[in-house]
Amino acid sequence: MFRAPEPFQANTWPCTLVSQPALLEALIAQAQQHRQFTWMPGTAVKALLHQEHRISGVQLADGRTLEADLVIGADGRHSLVRQQANLEMETLSHAIDLLWFKLADSSCLPADNTLYAIISGRQTMGLFRSAEGSLQLAWALYENDPTDWKTTDWSQKLAAASPPWLAQHLLKHAEDIERPLLLSVVVGRCPQWSIPGLLMLGDAVHPMSPIRAQGINMAFRDVIVAANHLVPLLQDPVDSNMLDQALPRIQAEREPEIIQAQALQNQELAQGDRLRHSPLLRGIVKSTLPFSSPIIRASWLRRQRQLRQGVTEVRLQV
Ligand SMILES: Cc1cc2nc3c(=O)[nH]c(=O)nc-3n(C[C@H](O)[C@H](O)[C@H](O)COP(=O)(O)OP(=O)(O)OC[C@H]3O[C@@H](n4cnc5c(N)ncnc54)[C@H](O)[C@@H]3O)c2cc1C
């Protein structure tokens, strides 16, 4: 076991866990201070509107239409907008899905804001205390794993792969372990993020691997870059040619970081796979831990830097 204290580099922010619903509510509250912003919760987009060779708005599921100088599609990894715009996504191979477990009592975790990664035999799992205080546990479900996850006795299985302090806690709360939620992982990239009148951002054009939780970071950083390019152009009257010309520049600025982050995530997965598939390697690591632990720790921290701070400089300039 090694620990990585936060922040592990001088002059950086400590990595912390943020409640996603609370963050989204705070963002909506901020946006609502602008009179141009309209929040329409629960209103799905059903189709794109076209005018000549440009996207000119959207049709909503309730039949209403919204005209727009520019449509930004950020509707997640199964994006309907991407499909309607015929923007192909190249799926990158990804050999794991995740099962998410939640347990209200997280008292076995000694400190806040600590992420545990546990490798036990061929199994990997991660756990942490969520912003709401519950224990969240992710179990890697590898390709060709014969486990029928819906009928497994999870308290026993999780405990068997856990160190004693965690096993004890899981068995004590066996009754409270909720049925896991399956996160079927999609990793991919669209070669093209825009067509005239439409820009796609976030998971809709580059769903990320769950390794080192990059999805939200990358989606936010897309938005900052898009704002830097678009806000100066969204002045009355809007020149749609200028807008359309800016769209590929947003992709060009964001794509290198997405490619590199996905490559780093892949390397991480490959390293875990080597360990999983080689009992010899696992044996060597285990028997040399007092000496190898500082080396593994240093290597982990080095790779961590790019994934948590980004590869390119992204700053809001508008
Ligand atoms: C269980 C789970 C745990 C995760 N944990 C983490 C984590 O810890 N850290 C991390 O960085 N990432 C995590 N991710 C990934 C992260 O949630 C995504 O990468 C990130 O939210 C992408 O942001 P986005 O805005 O591009 O898309 P999303 O957050 O998926 O948002 C898309 C939005 O579009 C809406 N939508 C979809 N279709 C339509 C439509 N037709 N009309 C209107 N609206 C529509 C959806 O309802 C949704 O609100 C997790 C994902 C899952 C599923």
Side-chain angles (χ1 to χ4, degrees), residues 222-280:
D222 286 0
V223 171
I224 293 170
V225 169
N228 287 344
H229 284 268
L230 296 175
V231 169
L233 301 177
L234 292 171
Q235 311 293 339
D236 228 9
V238 170
D239 181 333
S240 47
N241 279 333
M242 298 258 289
L243 270 185
D244 291 344
Q245 283 164 23
L247 304 183
R249 292 201 289 272
I250 296 167
Q251 175 178 352
E253 194 172 329
R254 287 301 299 138
E255 209 170 24
E257 180 165 86
I258 301 297
I259 292 173
Q260 188 150 355
Q262 287 179 333
L264 287 167
Q265 290 180 314
N266 219 14
Q267 279 172 24
E268 193 79 11
L269 188 68
Q271 194 182 47
D273 265 358
R274 278 195 292 279
L275 209 54
R276 238 167 44 79
H277 289 299
S278 167
L280 178 67

Side-chain angles (χ1 to χ4, degrees), residues 17-18 20 24 39-40 42-47 59-61 73-81 98 100 128 136 181-184 201-210 212-220 222-223:
L17 293 167
V18 174
Q20 198 167 345
L24 289 172
W39 170 233
M40 301 166 71
T43 314
V45 167
K46 197 176 153 205
Q59 184 181 10
L60 303 177
D75 52 341
R77 57 211 182 116
H78 301 298
S79 171
L80 172 121
V81 173
L98 290 183
W100 276 102
F128 57 88
Q136 301 269 337
L181 180 76
L182 174 70
L183 167 59
S184 49
L201 298 177
D203 268 18
V205 267
H206 52 67
M208 307 295 292
S209 157
R212 304 276 182 85
Q214 290 297 302
I216 297 173
N217 289 352
M218 292 300 128
F220 269 135
D222 286 0
V223 171

